[in-house]
Amino acid sequence: MEIWKIRGGNPLRGSVRVQGAKNSVLPIMAASVLVPCRTELTNCPDVRDVRASMDILRCLGCAVEQDGDAIYIDSRPLCRSAVPDALMHRMRSSFTFLGAILGRCGEASLTRPGGCELGERPIDLHLEALGALGARFEETGERILCCADAGLQGTCIRLRYPSVGATENAMIAACAAKGETVIENAATEPEIEDLQNYLRQLGAEICGAGTDTIQIRGISPVERVAYRIMPDRIAGATMLCAAACTGGEIELRGAVREHLGPVTQALCAMGCRMREESSAIFISAKRALRASPVIETGPNPAFPTDAQPILMAASLRAAGTSAFVENVFSDRFRHVEQFRRLGAEICIEGKTALVTGVRELYGAPVLATDLRAGAALLLAGLSARGTTTVLDEGHIARGYDALDIQLRSLGAELEILREMR
Ligand code: UD1
């Protein structure tokens, strides 16, 4: 258990560099087992989910080393196709290993990613996509045995919903298939393009990522790949919203402006002043904020669901009523109850949360119910009067690299107390 102790009230000021993208590095680490090869990844965030991926790779027989922001993976010695339950449960995105192991070994044995952090998270789209490529599944309890005895066959896969994870699994497995695969209604998130760029380096013939149609024509494997992970758009959004929440002024270095469009547009509409240069985004929130326009989450290019709790934190003291419509996950308003403990006025009607800005928030003990909710509570605590303690069972460290150090460098007063259990 980690306890974040925050004394709110300081406007954040200064300059920070955005970390590498967690949601990019995870599928890329999984994809590294697709062919026997050595991969060097740089700009990797040092976060718990990345360490969980390293453990899965080691368990499969790969050699893995970490040195600063670099991760070296040698997938040549891979000798297993099963991932133990305990490793699968450490993070939900472990399921992206399915397509990669299946592509490499012709079989894979994984368990259902458990838990219920954001509501039900089924895997039917993953299985349908891999099934279309010729994989067969057998479920025994939680374990899913997957095999492609006759090898994977390229085909047309039309996803019923543009799931990020299912698109990634299908892209990776399709590289190992005979013939051409077309994925229609594919997710278009920037992380999909990063995966495509890595797969190309690995020798794959693949195009279309970033549009809703991706074409894959197999792979001529190379022996060595060096790849730099793109910047993390959600960590970037977190920093911009931290400045907005606290009436601060910061420079965010290294972010990709286009990836942050929906978030920067909302912050501008709330009254923040933004300036964008090629390598940095400047935000100034010296004036009191006004309510955001209606924020509707959805698959890219709509507002990203991961940034919903974070922007909501910035709207808690904004004048007027802000509406947030959550269309991606069925249970992604659990932070609302925690915001209320700080004095926020929010009511939920179905998929919509209506936030009526209050003059002040007041520090209180709150619980991080998931990764982004945890980050959002830190931001709310930074903008509240008095002391907020955020109790966190390791969610925040799953996705943020040294967030406490970054926030302190901007003038935040906070510390992490660790409780051993
Ligand atoms: C990824 C991100 C996560 C982000 C999400 C949506 C990673 C590691 N995680 O998660 O941070 O919040 O995209 O942008 O990249 N669904 C099904 N059946 C399936 C798969 C998904 O019904 O087989 C549903 C989900 O329940 C959810 C929606 O599709 O309602 C979106 O999920 P998906 O895009 O798959 O998200 P993830 O890949 O899990």
Side-chain angles (χ1 to χ4, degrees), residues 22-23 26-27 92-93 118 120-127 161-166 168 189 191 233 305-306 327-330 332 372:
K22 169 184 87 78
N23 288 353
L26 298 177
R92 212 171 306 271
S93 60
L118 311 172
E120 210 190 331
R121 288 181 86 169
I123 49 169
D124 53 331
L125 299 170
H126 297 248
L127 301 187
Y161 178 92
S163 151
V164 174
E168 291 165 346
E189 272 70 3
E191 292 76 13
R233 60 198 171 106
T305 172
D306 288 351
N327 290 315
V328 180
F329 290 110
S330 58
R332 199 163 203 175
R372 304 303 171 186

